[in-house]
Amino acid sequence: MAAWIGLMCAGSLAAASKNLEIYWIDAEGGASTLIVSPSGESMLVDTANRTPDDRDAKRIFAAAQQAGLKKIDILLTTHFHSDHIGGMEALSKLIPIGMYMDHGPSVELARPQVAAAYKAYEELSAGKRRILKAGDRIPLKGVDVDVIMSAGEAITKPLKGAGAPNAACADFKEHGPEQDPDNDQSVGLLLQFGKFRFIDMGDLTWNYEQKLVCPSNLIGQVELYQITHHGLNRSSSPQFVWAIQPKVMVMNDGPRKGGTADVFDVLRHSPGLEDIWQVHLALGTPKEINTPEDMIANLGQSRDCKGDGIMVSVDPAGRYTVTNQRNGFHKTYESR
Ligand SMILES: [Zn+2]
């Protein structure tokens, strides 16, 4: 795969920096987000897919090396679906993993594939596992990480400065029941570094999002939103997105997964939005509805994909630069 040359030009090597860095690793529609705190401690959120050639594990390892990491301090698995846990075993052979965090047992153990993946997880994490509850704080030195959702339960009190009523809740239209119920068990986290706030909700779906923003918004505003569930329209309700008012959004979509026109419509009507960045061009969506090409890391089909990612580097004053690994295109924003 391509080296993170563009990113290095942005002066973003973690070992040499006092910045917070977040890498969205291209997993062709899977999820893997590497967070490197200014202290040098690291948390990987999800390990994407399993493939015969360990493609995603190798891409995660390459990003960890570029970030100067010798180990992953915390592996947080949002939920036990194959596009979030698939690369775990292969990755654990490439780099040591300090601790494992998750929402507790999968609720889909009747499905043989899920049961096998969960058993492997239990074995690998034995003695190093912590089950997270809403309201917990994750110990990642240098940043504040709050667990705001886990195992279907949301925090009950607003985060500091949040708690305003959400008028949009009056128009909420419930979706039918979720067919893959482990999505709604996803661990959701809010990371704060100075004025910068980042949210990653895994694959939490539409109905469960309401627990955090209706009738009042328990989260407050965020700077950067990892667009939930790869940009699928089973998540990102207007009530949720418009309440948290992200300035910048990153979609970890695939060539044919997520990024449909109805999702872009909700995202673009969000107050205060400046830019959407995509890991992949959504090939089934008209080009003019996708974000401008400079802010898309991969433009083709999976088979000819080089696996370029997107990263952000946040300085202690809250200024942050998002960079597209494919072309080095980058843009700087100020936290509110
Ligand atoms: Zn997923």
Side-chain angles (χ1 to χ4, degrees):
M1 63 172 286
W4 293 73
I5 291 168
L7 311 187
M8 293 167 73
C9 294
S12 60
L13 275 184
S17 131
K18 291 276 185 280
N19 285 9
L20 161 71
E21 322 231 287
I22 306 174
Y23 301 76
W24 287 271
I25 293 139
D26 174 30
E28 318 290 331
S32 188
T33 308
L34 177 64
I35 297 167
V36 185
S37 154
S39 68
E41 287 190 358
S42 58
M43 175 163 73
L44 178 66
V45 184
D46 295 322
T47 53
N49 302 288
R50 177 182 215 144
T51 59
D53 60 357
D54 295 329
R55 178 198 69 202
D56 292 354
K58 287 175 185 164
R59 288 180 181 176
I60 297 166
F61 180 57
Q65 285 192 305
Q66 290 295 334
L69 300 179
K70 297 274 184 283
K71 72 183 276 208
I72 303 289
D73 293 293
I74 298 168
L75 170 58
L76 190 158
T77 299
T78 60
H79 65 297
F80 297 105
H81 281 159
S82 57
D83 58 330
H84 293 252
I85 195 180
M88 177 190 63
E89 283 180 277
L91 182 70
S92 72
K93 296 185 178 114
L94 296 171
I95 187 166
I97 296 171
M99 274 194 82
Y100 292 75
M101 298 188 184
D102 61 272
H103 67 63
S106 166
V107 294
E108 296 179 19
L109 292 174
R111 297 177 178 182
Q113 266 191 327
V114 175
Y118 183 69
K119 185 165 177 286
Y121 178 81
E122 279 188 309
E123 285 167 10
L124 204 56
S125 65
K128 297 192 285 185
R129 180 179 179 186
R130 178 175 162 193
I131 294 174
L132 298 168
K133 300 228 172 328
D136 285 351
R137 179 62 69 92
I138 293 175
L140 188 66
K141 210 172 136 204
V143 291
D144 294 325
V145 188
D146 287 300
V147 176
I148 56 174
M149 191 92 201
S150 184
E153 299 291 334
I155 48 171
T156 51
K157 289 193 201 114
L159 296 177
K160 200 174 164 207
N166 183 356
C169 296
D171 302 323
F172 177 65
K173 290 184 187 63
E174 193 158 329
H175 273 191
E178 170 61 27
Q179 298 305 305
D180 304 305
D182 211 49
N183 284 330
D184 288 325
Q185 303 291 301
S186 287
V187 174
L189 58 89
L190 191 286
L191 180 151
Q192 184 141 1
F193 175 51
K195 287 192 287 181
F196 178 82
R197 301 177 95 220
F198 165 62
I199 189 168
D200 178 350
M201 299 302 300
D203 287 356
L204 194 78
T205 68
W206 191 277
N207 295 345
Y208 276 68
E209 290 173 342
Q210 305 316 299
K211 296 186 176 206
L212 286 159
V213 292
C214 288
S216 56
N217 172 8
L218 303 179
I219 304 168
Q221 287 186 354
V222 308
E223 281 296 315
L224 203 156
Y225 171 44
Q226 175 177 309
I227 299 167
T228 307
H229 211 169
H230 322 280
L232 290 170
N233 62 8
R234 288 146 70 187
S235 304
S236 290
S237 67
Q239 285 72 20
F240 184 79
V241 179
W242 301 352
I244 61 173
Q245 300 186 8
K247 185 184 288 179
V248 177
M249 306 183 184
V250 176
M251 185 184 289
N252 57 0
D253 58 335
R256 303 258 171 214
K257 181 177 177 184
T260 46
D262 50 355
V263 172
F264 277 111
D265 190 51
V266 172
L267 301 177
R268 292 216 170 93
H269 282 93
S270 180
L273 173 70
E274 285 195 18
D275 286 313
I276 300 171
W277 297 68
Q278 290 170 241
V279 174
H280 270 271
L281 177 70
L283 296 174
T285 300
K287 225 175 167 188
E288 62 275 16
I289 294 180
N290 280 268
T291 214
E293 202 170 284
D294 271 349
M295 292 190 283
I296 304 177
N298 300 280
L299 301 175
Q301 303 276 0
S302 291
R303 64 173 177 273
D304 27 69
C305 181
K306 287 195 301 168
D308 289 317
I310 288 171
M311 71 92 67
V312 61
S313 183
V314 188
D315 78 16
R319 179 187 302 212
Y320 55 105
T321 299
V322 183
T323 304
N324 178 353
Q325 181 193 4
R326 175 175 63 81
N327 55 4
F329 179 80
H330 57 272
K331 199 167 164 184
T332 299
Y333 309 85
E334 296 279 350
S335 295
R336 290 167 285 199

